[in-house]
């Protein structure tokens, strides 16, 4: 719901279906401001904000949305709850476009709270957007709290796809917090729902993350099974980007399961893919190389391990320099 038309559609305050509203120009809206008061004035500022958002002028659109919010707030109970909510959501969308993610999430949380209090059916969609924004802001506890409520609402509505996506995001947040047991449970629940509605790629995405969690808690055999399942899907789908990460989890699982040589060979395949890309992700490459060095050390190939670590150190001096 990143588009201006989405905001206008969701938060259209007018009960008037007269198609003549569609031909009101931006110039006419500006001229209307001195002639209006109260709710009409707030709605005019909001509509201007939506028009200017659509042009990509987010700073100006933000200022207009904030003005609309102030007027709605001053009017108090005489304004339908959706009025203030629409202004907060518009503020949130503009802040999001300006990459002010934490502020965007804070504004959107106010819109969601207002809509939930009024039992508006519009609350759930904005709440899901809010959860994504909290995650982008690295507010993982808030992400989990927000999405848990979304899961319940989607399940009540028999919206398995919505609930599955909610659970997947919860799992990602829990994984960031290193709560691997809780993350594993969330990904497994999401997988059940994705499988039920036959979303093959999303099932595999869950399997890849399940493998990651199992690696972290030391279940090499379980991680092998999950990683291989995800890899099979991505290879079949020719999804090379996701295939790489499934290979990484497979290699890590093989190492934990005591298959050092196999794991080393798998990580070498991942490294080959990563270094073939024109744009090098050095942090990813260093992670793979570091794991390979650890395996070589375990296998008694100390000189090779030391050589890799020497090279890693040279790159780290550049990559990690503040």
């Amino acid at each position: 719901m990143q588009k201006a038309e989405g905001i206008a559609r969701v938060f259209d305050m007018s009960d008037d279906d007269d198609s003549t509203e569609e031909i009101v120009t931006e110039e006419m809206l500006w001229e209307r401001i001195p002639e209006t008061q109260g709710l009409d004035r707030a709605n005019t500022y909001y509509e201007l904000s939506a028009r200017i958002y659509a042009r990509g002028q987010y700073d100006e659109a933000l200022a207009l949305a904030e003005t609309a919010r102030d007027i709605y707030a001053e009017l108090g109970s005489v304004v339908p709850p959706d009025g203030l909510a629409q202004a907060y959501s518009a503020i949130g969308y503009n802040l999001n476009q300006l990459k002010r993610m934490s502020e965007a999430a804070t504004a959107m949380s106010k819109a969601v709270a207002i809509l939930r209090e009024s039992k508006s059916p519009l609350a759930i969609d904005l709440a899901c957007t809010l959860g994504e924004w909290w995650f982008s802001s690295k507010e993982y506890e808030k992400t989990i709290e927000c999405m848990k409520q979304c899961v319940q609402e989607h399940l009540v509505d028999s919206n398995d796809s919505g609930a599955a996506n909610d659970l997947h995001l919860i799992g990602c947040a829990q994984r960031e917090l290193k709560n691997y047991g809780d993350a594993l449970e969330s990904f497994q629940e999401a997988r059940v729902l994705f499988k039920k509605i036959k979303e093959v790629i999303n099932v595999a995405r869950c399997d890849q993350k399940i493998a990651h969690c199992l690696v972290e808690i030391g279940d090499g055999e379980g991680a092998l099974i999950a990683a291989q399942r995800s890899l099979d899907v991505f290879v079949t789908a020719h999804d090379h980007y996701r295939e790489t990460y499934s290979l990484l989890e497979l290699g890590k699982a093989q190492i934990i399961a005591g298959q050092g040589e196999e794991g080393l060979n798998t990580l070498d395949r991942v490294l080959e893919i990563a270094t073939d890309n024109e744009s090098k992700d050095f942090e990813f490459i260093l992670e793979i190389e570091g794991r390979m060095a650890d395996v070589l050390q375990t296998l008694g190939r100390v000189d090779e391990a030391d050589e890799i670590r020497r090279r890693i150190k040279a790159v780290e001096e550049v990559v990690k320099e503040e």
Side-chain angles (χ1 to χ4, degrees):
M1 294 183 64
Q2 299 281 334
K3 298 179 181 178
E5 59 265 32
I7 304 172
R9 184 177 65 252
V10 173
F11 287 113
D12 184 6
M13 289 296 296
S14 174
D15 292 326
D16 183 5
D17 290 330
D18 187 349
S19 61
T20 58
E21 280 295 313
E22 298 176 5
I23 63 171
V24 175
T25 66
E26 189 175 314
E27 183 181 0
M28 293 165 65
L29 289 170
W30 282 112
E31 291 173 350
R32 183 187 294 175
I33 288 176
E35 304 170 359
T36 57
Q37 292 182 346
L39 182 59
D40 286 343
R41 189 179 182 88
N43 288 344
T44 302
Y45 274 111
Y46 170 75
E47 177 60 26
L48 276 169
S49 175
R51 301 277 185 100
I52 292 170
Y53 176 97
R55 292 208 306 269
Q57 296 172 243
Y58 305 119
D59 282 309
E60 185 179 352
L62 173 62
L64 290 164
E66 289 174 333
T67 302
R69 176 209 49 200
D70 293 343
I71 298 172
Y72 286 130
E74 288 171 5
L75 292 171
S77 60
V78 302
V79 178
D82 284 5
L84 190 55
Q86 74 170 0
Y88 274 120
S89 72
I91 290 168
Y93 279 110
N94 282 290
L95 288 168
N96 177 61
Q97 292 291 347
L98 293 167
K99 309 303 180 187
R100 293 160 60 180
M101 293 303 303
S102 181
E103 294 173 79
T106 298
M108 187 63 82
S109 67
K110 293 178 181 178
V112 171
I114 293 168
L115 292 172
R116 287 203 190 285
E117 187 176 349
S118 66
K119 303 190 184 306
S120 170
L122 305 174
I124 182 64
D125 288 338
L126 288 187
C128 291
T129 298
L130 173 60
E132 293 170 2
W133 288 2
W134 281 134
F135 187 85
S136 296
S137 302
K138 300 185 178 181
E139 295 278 2
Y140 302 121
E141 295 284 3
K142 290 180 179 179
T143 302
I144 294 166
E145 180 184 358
C146 177
M147 299 315 294
K148 278 186 175 179
Q149 191 165 354
C150 292
V151 171
Q152 297 307 314
E153 292 176 356
H154 277 138
L155 289 175
V156 167
D157 293 339
S158 299
N159 185 342
D160 291 333
S161 179
N165 281 293
D166 299 340
L167 286 162
H168 184 271
L169 186 56
I170 289 171
C172 290
Q174 289 165 329
R175 188 174 64 160
E176 291 293 335
L177 293 169
K178 301 188 185 306
N179 298 331
Y180 296 113
D182 291 336
L184 177 61
E185 184 177 340
S186 294
F187 290 132
Q188 287 171 333
E189 290 178 15
R191 186 186 191 279
V192 169
L193 292 174
F194 281 132
K195 184 176 181 181
K196 179 181 176 182
I197 55 182
K198 303 186 185 304
E199 292 192 9
V200 178
I201 293 295
N202 281 328
V203 170
R205 289 174 66 213
C206 289
D207 279 330
Q208 184 262 324
K209 292 179 177 68
I210 287 168
H212 178 91
C213 293
L214 290 171
V215 164
E216 293 296 335
I217 63 179
D219 183 355
E221 295 298 332
L224 273 172
I225 295 169
Q228 188 63 61
R229 279 193 314 222
S230 69
L231 181 61
D232 289 343
V233 171
F234 295 140
V235 169
T236 302
H238 295 273
D239 190 333
H240 301 303
Y241 176 79
R242 292 192 173 102
E243 177 186 341
T244 303
Y245 287 94
S246 289
L247 268 176
L248 175 61
E249 298 305 334
L250 180 63
K252 288 154 61 177
Q254 287 169 329
I255 293 165
I256 292 176
Q259 302 173 16
E261 289 287 356
E262 293 89 338
L264 188 62
N265 290 334
T266 302
L267 292 180
D268 195 45
R269 287 172 60 196
V270 178
L271 184 62
E272 185 177 346
I273 295 168
T275 52
D276 273 349
N277 290 331
E278 196 168 317
S279 176
K280 311 292 186 188
D281 183 345
F282 278 105
E283 289 190 8
F284 184 54
I285 291 169
L286 292 179
E287 178 189 350
I288 301 164
E289 292 255 34
R291 289 182 180 276
M292 291 176 71
D294 291 341
V295 178
L296 288 166
Q297 183 88 28
T298 302
L299 295 173
R301 296 158 64 178
V302 179
D303 289 345
E304 293 175 71
D306 288 344
E307 171 62 16
I308 290 175
R309 292 186 179 120
R310 184 189 63 77
R311 290 191 289 97
I312 287 175
K313 187 176 180 181
V315 178
E316 282 180 336
E317 287 177 359
V318 178
V319 174
K320 296 187 177 180
E321 188 177 54
E322 294 183 359

